Amino acid sequence: MASATSPLSFLISHPQSTKPVPSLPFLKRSRLHCTTSSTTAVSAKHHRRPAEENIRQEALRLHPDCDSKYSAWYAPFPLNEEDPNEKYSLDEVVYRSKSGGLLDVKHDMEALAQRSGSYWRELFDSRVGRTAWPYGSGVWSKKEFVLPCISPDEIVSLFEGNSNLFWAERLGKEHLDGMPDLWVKHCGISHTGSFKDLGMTVLVSQVNRLMKQPMGRSIIGVGCASTGDTSAALSAYCAAAGIPAIVFLPADRISIAQLIQPVSNGATVLSLDTDFDGCMRLIREVTAELPIYLANSLNSLRLEGQKTAAIEILQQFDWEVPDWVIVPGGNLGNIYAFYKGFEMCRALGLVDRVPRLVCAQATNANPLYRYYKSGWKEFNPITAETTFASAIQIGDPVSIDRAVFALQATNGIVEEATEEELMDAMSLADRTGMFACPHTGVALAALFKLRASNVIGVNDRTVVVSTAHGLKFAQSKVDYHSGTIADMACRYKNPPISVKANFGAVMDALKKSLNNGKI
């Protein structure tokens, strides 16, 4: 039986009561699943919201005001020792601290700690799979840990998150010395096909809040520089909210699938003759002059959504902590976001430790790897070279300091993968039932190296984070299986076999494939 502090305890101790639990009103509706078959239809009709009321209106009726018990704000990252009280309201349009450094979203941990770890575990678990607004989202099901004071009416959600944790049984068994506990967190199985949805729902929701509550400086739209996935997520969420989106993309450096997403969602797309770092410099200059809200990972709001993927992994393991989590790294906000999610759960008693983190970079865009190999002595931005992992083709990452903090706090590791290594790893994973993107290939290649050196043990529970859907990078797979990539053996290529349309030719082709072990 749940404890007295359990979010479910009211229903257990008062099974016949129709009075809803104040903090969990949707649980009253969930009692319909406990009715007998003879009364289910009648009960459902009786308990459902009024027919003319949608789920957002229902949530606003049940939660008319901000839950003042919990709060969050911006603070410098790292904390300003000279002015430890420097902080900013989340309703301010601010991207940098007084010293010009990064900001971080801080939560009132003392208030959150008034509830036990078991309370938060049960609360978050009770929301999974619901349609009650906004808790059906994998992000907003952890609302108290994300943006506690935002109104349900201000939230812009496409029911993101709740992504598959894939047991990579065959990959571990056949290609990694029999690893029995290898998993891939498919964050790319999301509305726009990448993990960026997790952060964008938070950022666009806060912009929606600001636009509904105008301050001194109005906002006319939201802008970002992008290597593809950020622009897709921003455009979709802005389209859902009716907010103009402005996107700066490096010309000829992203896939057609990535380019068409913001175009289809009605964003203003500028294709610029520069790389991502050049686009980033320009969007900063533009947002300094025009009332356009900056949506890049310089803005720490996105990390609050991205950290929920870490909490979700813990949920999917029944709140057991994996040994390793491997994350592809480009602009490096995501590795810090995973750390934040794990550490917040540890600090509040949901779990008792955090996993070791690995940040995986493409050799052609590896400034963090070089910094790590120097013993963290000196960071030097680089000019990133072309990589199939185009979304992490970044030579001067915004969140370098955040990433270093996360890695040092978790005794973490940085590894790299060449173009051939990442494409082979991606293609080998595909042969075991996945359809991975090149960025996931970077993380998988890092896993192969760390397993070969026995840094990661054969029985270590390991999670590889897949950041985007393979369909967004189909051309890279076409090139690989066609064997047309210069200076690459493409050892796992599997091109179609051209066969004449007669029985004998078909049988010969099948026998050859059978003899080669392909079938």
Side-chain angles (χ1 to χ4, degrees):
M1 181 170 289
S3 67
T5 59
S6 164
L8 304 180
S9 60
F10 183 90
L11 294 181
I12 295 171
S13 59
H14 300 81
Q16 303 302 318
S17 174
T18 59
K19 182 180 178 181
V21 182
S23 61
L24 299 173
F26 59 89
L27 285 179
K28 176 184 174 183
R29 295 172 57 207
S30 71
R31 292 176 65 225
L32 298 176
H33 299 290
C34 302
T35 57
T36 63
S37 57
S38 62
T39 61
T40 297
V42 175
S43 298
K45 184 175 180 181
H46 175 72
H47 287 291
R48 67 162 289 175
R49 64 182 181 275
E52 68 278 4
E53 183 180 66
N54 64 37
I55 57 174
R56 184 189 296 274
Q57 292 166 335
E58 177 189 40
L60 190 60
R61 171 170 55 81
L62 296 172
H63 300 281
D65 301 311
C66 160
D67 189 341
S68 59
K69 294 193 296 292
Y70 311 116
S71 60
W73 59 88
Y74 295 121
F77 179 90
L79 288 175
N80 185 346
E81 294 182 0
E82 294 182 0
D83 184 6
N85 295 318
E86 181 184 352
K87 64 179 183 179
Y88 307 89
S89 166
L90 296 185
D91 288 341
E92 293 185 58
V93 179
V94 56
Y95 311 114
R96 294 280 194 181
S97 66
K98 291 177 182 177
S99 64
L102 297 173
L103 295 173
D104 198 14
V105 175
K106 296 291 186 181
H107 290 261
D108 186 345
M109 298 294 283
E110 289 187 6
L112 292 168
Q114 296 302 306
R115 297 287 193 178
S116 67
S118 61
Y119 172 89
W120 293 118
R121 289 194 301 267
E122 291 183 43
L123 174 61
F124 295 158
D125 286 346
S126 73
R127 292 169 171 172
V128 173
R130 302 286 174 179
T131 58
W133 184 266
Y135 302 119
S137 158
V139 172
W140 297 108
S141 63
K142 291 90 176 168
K143 180 177 180 290
E144 294 82 358
F145 284 20
V146 179
L147 288 186
C149 269
I150 195 166
S151 163
D153 192 45
E154 296 161 343
I155 289 174
V156 182
S157 174
L158 303 175
F159 282 79
E160 52 289 312
N162 296 318
S163 58
N164 179 31
L165 186 61
F166 173 82
W167 180 34
E169 178 184 16
R170 188 178 165 205
L171 185 66
K173 181 178 180 180
E174 297 182 11
H175 303 290
L176 284 158
D177 308 312
M179 284 188 79
D181 217 356
L182 174 61
W183 303 79
V184 177
K185 178 61 172 170
H186 278 301
C187 295
I189 301 178
S190 189
H191 185 75
T192 71
S194 90
F195 78 97
K196 299 293 179 71
D197 292 354
L198 304 178
M200 209 56 73
T201 180
V202 177
L203 184 142
V204 175
S205 293
Q206 181 63 15
V207 171
N208 193 41
R209 170 183 170 88
L210 297 179
M211 294 180 77
K212 288 187 174 186
Q213 302 172 359
M215 300 185 304
R217 182 183 180 188
S218 61
I219 297 173
I220 61 172
V222 188
C224 75
S226 178
T227 51
D229 291 333
T230 300
S231 63
L234 174 65
S235 303
Y237 282 84
C238 282
I243 297 172
I246 300 96
V247 172
F248 289 10
L249 296 175
D252 303 320
R253 302 193 190 202
I254 67 170
S255 72
I256 294 297
Q258 290 173 302
L259 174 61
I260 201 61
Q261 288 181 280
V263 169
S264 299
N265 286 137
T268 298
V269 179
L270 302 185
S271 180
L272 304 175
D273 185 18
T274 183
D275 58 8
F276 169 80
D277 297 314
C279 290
M280 190 68 216
R281 285 190 292 270
L282 284 167
I283 194 69
R284 287 186 194 175
E285 293 174 9
V286 168
T287 54
E289 294 295 324
L290 295 175
I292 296 172
Y293 194 86
L294 181 63
N296 281 95
S297 56
L298 179 67
N299 188 315
S300 54
L301 282 171
R302 281 173 47 192
L303 305 185
E304 294 306 292
Q306 289 166 211
K307 77 182 182 188
T308 62
I311 304 173
E312 202 168 276
I313 288 171
L314 297 175
Q315 279 186 287
Q316 290 168 312
F317 284 133
D318 292 326
W319 301 101
E320 293 181 357
V321 182
D323 298 302
W324 296 90
V325 175
I326 306 175
V327 185
N331 221 12
L332 303 180
N334 211 25
I335 190 77
Y336 179 64
F338 271 82
Y339 165 73
K340 284 195 76 174
F342 289 128
E343 173 58 21
M344 194 170 189
C345 288
R346 187 206 63 79
L348 292 171
L350 283 76
V351 295
D352 60 1
R353 64 184 180 92
V354 299
R356 293 185 70 182
L357 297 181
V358 177
C359 188
Q361 292 206 295
T363 300
N364 286 359
N366 65 349
L368 179 67
Y369 176 77
R370 298 183 189 196
Y371 192 17
Y372 170 76
K373 294 302 284 186
S374 76
W376 304 122
K377 291 179 181 178
E378 184 178 3
F379 174 72
N380 293 303
I382 65 172
T383 299
E385 298 178 32
T386 301
T387 172
F388 282 101
S390 58
I392 56 174
Q393 186 178 311
I394 298 169
D396 190 9
V398 167
S399 294
I400 180 68
D401 293 336
R402 291 168 172 157
V404 172
F405 182 90
L407 290 162
Q408 291 180 339
T410 61
N411 191 24
I413 294 172
V414 186
E415 189 53 86
E416 67 172 352
T418 66
E419 293 302 288
E420 187 157 19
E421 288 170 341
L422 73 89
M423 291 297 284
D424 280 347
M426 174 191 76
S427 301
L428 183 59
D430 287 353
R431 287 197 167 213
T432 66
M434 284 183 254
F435 195 69
C437 67
H439 317 85
T440 307
V442 174
L444 288 168
L447 169 62
F448 282 116
K449 290 183 175 183
L450 295 172
R451 179 69 206 96
S453 61
N454 209 35
V455 173
I456 293 180
V458 68
N459 293 318
D460 289 353
R461 174 173 284 179
T462 303
V463 178
V464 173
V465 177
S466 178
T467 54
H469 201 293
L471 285 171
K472 299 182 80 168
F473 302 91
Q475 188 59 50
S476 67
K477 294 178 182 289
V478 171
D479 294 342
Y480 183 91
H481 290 290
S482 299
T484 58
I485 302 173
D487 302 318
M488 190 178 292
C490 303
R491 51 192 295 220
Y492 301 112
K493 67 183 178 183
N494 182 33
I497 305 169
S498 296
V499 184
K500 291 183 179 180
N502 65 70
F503 179 77
V506 169
M507 289 297 292
D508 288 343
L510 291 177
K511 288 176 182 178
K512 184 177 180 180
S513 292
L514 286 167
N515 290 335
N516 290 337
K518 286 185 63 177
I519 300 178

